[in-house]
């Protein structure tokens, strides 16, 4: 049987979505890297693997893979893509439901056919400090985040994230590596952010990265909800007094298809 997939994008952050029941082999890091390769595979920023839930009360279990083959605990953009896929593919007709992730339960509410609000749980604060000459706020939004405030927007836009990001991502301060959000305030309730993701590099958008920046902004006295301007578009992050976070944004399908027999054979051999 041919292996079916769909490709979705949210603010330019694109993922392949596959159902575990359709795969004739386990999704290993080598296979993820080949699928995500734009020249030898399908090409994407990662893979979303959907399977039947293994606990009652959940619609599905979601695993999220970065293009380097590593597994992420959570992705705000990837989660929205998976959520809206589940609804369109008939896994549920509910407006509000729960799915399992490596970061725990997330609970979305479908707002329309391309938009949803996702209860991301509570952000957990970690240390503040200095890394590679930058002051940072470390926190977790299902996955590790490092939020760095840049006072001047022009300075933010001029940053070379491909040079700055890797040594921060892999700093000994962050034993599990970290995602990095460089942000600057535009208004009390609006920030501009640029994101460097572990296992990915600089990205057009990141839901958890936007969330990390929004939480850091609110901790410094900013207003919630926070509109986060990213290279790929805008997300809205509602940060509660207890740091409970809701993320609202869109996701849309790009295409659907099947792996060729030749590519499937190559993947099987890896």
């Amino acid at each position: 049987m041919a292996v079916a997939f769909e490709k979705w994008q949210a603010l330019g952050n694109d993922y392949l979505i596959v159902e575990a029941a359709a795969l004739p082999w386990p999704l290993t890091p080598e296979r993820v890297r080949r699928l995500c390769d734009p020249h030898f595979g399908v090409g994407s920023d990662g893979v979303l693997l959907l399977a039947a839930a293994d606990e009652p009360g959940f619609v599905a279990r979601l695993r999220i893979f970065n293009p380097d083959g590593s597994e992420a605990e959570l992705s705000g953009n990837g989660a929205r893509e998976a959520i809206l896929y589940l609804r369109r593919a008939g896994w549920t007709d509910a407006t509000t439901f729960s799915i399992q992730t490596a970061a725990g339960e997330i609970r979305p509410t479908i707002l329309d056919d391309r938009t949803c609000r996702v209860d991301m749980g509570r952000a957990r604060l970690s240390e503040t400090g200095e890394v590679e000459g930058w002051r940072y706020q470390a926190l977790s939004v299902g996955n590790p985040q490092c939020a760095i405030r840049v006072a001047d927007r022009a300075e933010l836009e001029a940053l070379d994230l491909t040079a700055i990001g890797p040594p921060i991502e892999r700093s000994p301060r962050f034993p599990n590596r970290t995602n990095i959000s460089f942000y600057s305030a535009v208004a009390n309730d609006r920030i501009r952010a640029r994101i460097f993701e572990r296992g990915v590099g600089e990205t057009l958008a990141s839901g958890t990265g936007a969330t990390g920046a929004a939480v850091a902004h609110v901790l410094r006295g900013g207003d919630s909800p926070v509109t986060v301007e990213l290279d790929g578009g805008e997300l809205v992050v509602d940060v509660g007094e207890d740091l409970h976070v809701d993320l609202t944004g869109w996701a849309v399908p790009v295409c659907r298809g099947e792996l060729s027999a030749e590519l499937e054979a190559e993947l099987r051999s890896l």
Side-chain angles (χ1 to χ4, degrees):
M1 292 179 60
V3 178
F5 69 89
E6 288 196 14
K7 187 172 185 176
W8 284 60
Q9 65 97 358
L11 284 73
N13 192 193
D14 61 301
Y15 282 88
L16 301 180
I17 301 179
V18 294
E19 298 187 12
L23 291 180
W25 21 254
L27 197 55
T28 63
E30 293 80 9
R31 289 171 177 144
V32 169
R33 288 194 290 270
R34 178 61 64 86
L35 283 168
C36 293
D37 191 291
H39 304 293
F40 297 100
V42 181
S44 75
D45 291 330
V47 178
L48 307 175
L49 181 65
L50 289 168
D54 53 19
E55 294 180 23
F58 293 90
V59 166
R61 179 163 52 91
L62 169 64
R63 295 178 67 190
I64 302 167
F65 295 90
N66 295 319
D68 68 351
S70 61
E71 186 167 357
E73 298 90 345
L74 190 59
S75 162
N77 289 329
R80 292 199 315 282
E81 292 168 33
I83 288 159
L84 292 165
Y85 170 90
L86 288 167
R87 179 66 177 267
R88 290 194 185 205
W91 285 55
T92 181
D93 59 3
T95 300
T96 300
F97 52 92
S98 294
I99 60 176
Q100 297 170 296
T101 73
E105 176 184 7
I106 61 172
R107 188 167 180 81
T109 298
I110 305 293
L111 302 178
D112 56 44
D113 62 357
R114 55 175 279 156
T115 312
C116 64
R117 181 175 64 250
V118 185
D119 179 345
M120 304 282 281
R122 289 182 63 184
R124 297 190 300 276
L125 299 183
S126 186
E127 80 280 1
T128 59
E130 186 171 306
V131 59
E132 299 294 321
W134 296 93
R135 294 292 301 174
Y136 70 88
Q137 169 69 65
L139 64 153
S140 172
V141 189
N143 53 16
Q145 300 289 328
C146 172
I148 296 175
R149 180 177 177 270
V150 181
D152 182 79
R153 179 166 183 167
E155 180 186 356
L156 173 65
E157 302 296 354
L159 293 178
D160 181 0
L161 266 58
T162 60
I164 299 169
I168 299 176
E169 174 194 357
R170 298 181 179 277
S171 168
R173 291 179 178 272
F174 310 116
N176 296 319
R177 299 189 294 163
T178 186
N179 301 307
I180 311 150
S181 301
F182 296 88
Y183 74 95
S184 182
V186 176
N188 284 344
D189 61 352
R190 177 177 288 267
I191 62 175
R192 163 73 170 121
R194 296 179 62 198
I195 311 297
F196 189 94
E197 286 193 330
R198 60 178 182 167
V200 179
E202 185 173 7
T203 183
L204 290 173
S206 166
T208 54
T211 299
V215 170
H217 176 66
V218 170
L219 288 173
R220 294 180 65 93
D223 295 335
S224 176
V226 183
T227 298
V228 184
E229 301 176 7
L230 300 157
D231 287 337
E234 295 183 351
L235 293 171
V236 177
V237 184
D238 195 335
V239 183
E241 292 185 358
D242 61 352
L243 299 186
H244 196 100
V245 176
D246 289 292
L247 174 67
T248 301
W250 56 267
V252 293
V254 175
C255 64
R256 64 169 59 94
E258 297 177 344
L259 302 183
S260 69
E262 291 81 1
L263 179 56
E264 196 279 322
E266 289 181 21
L267 292 167
R268 185 185 294 273
S269 69
L270 293 177

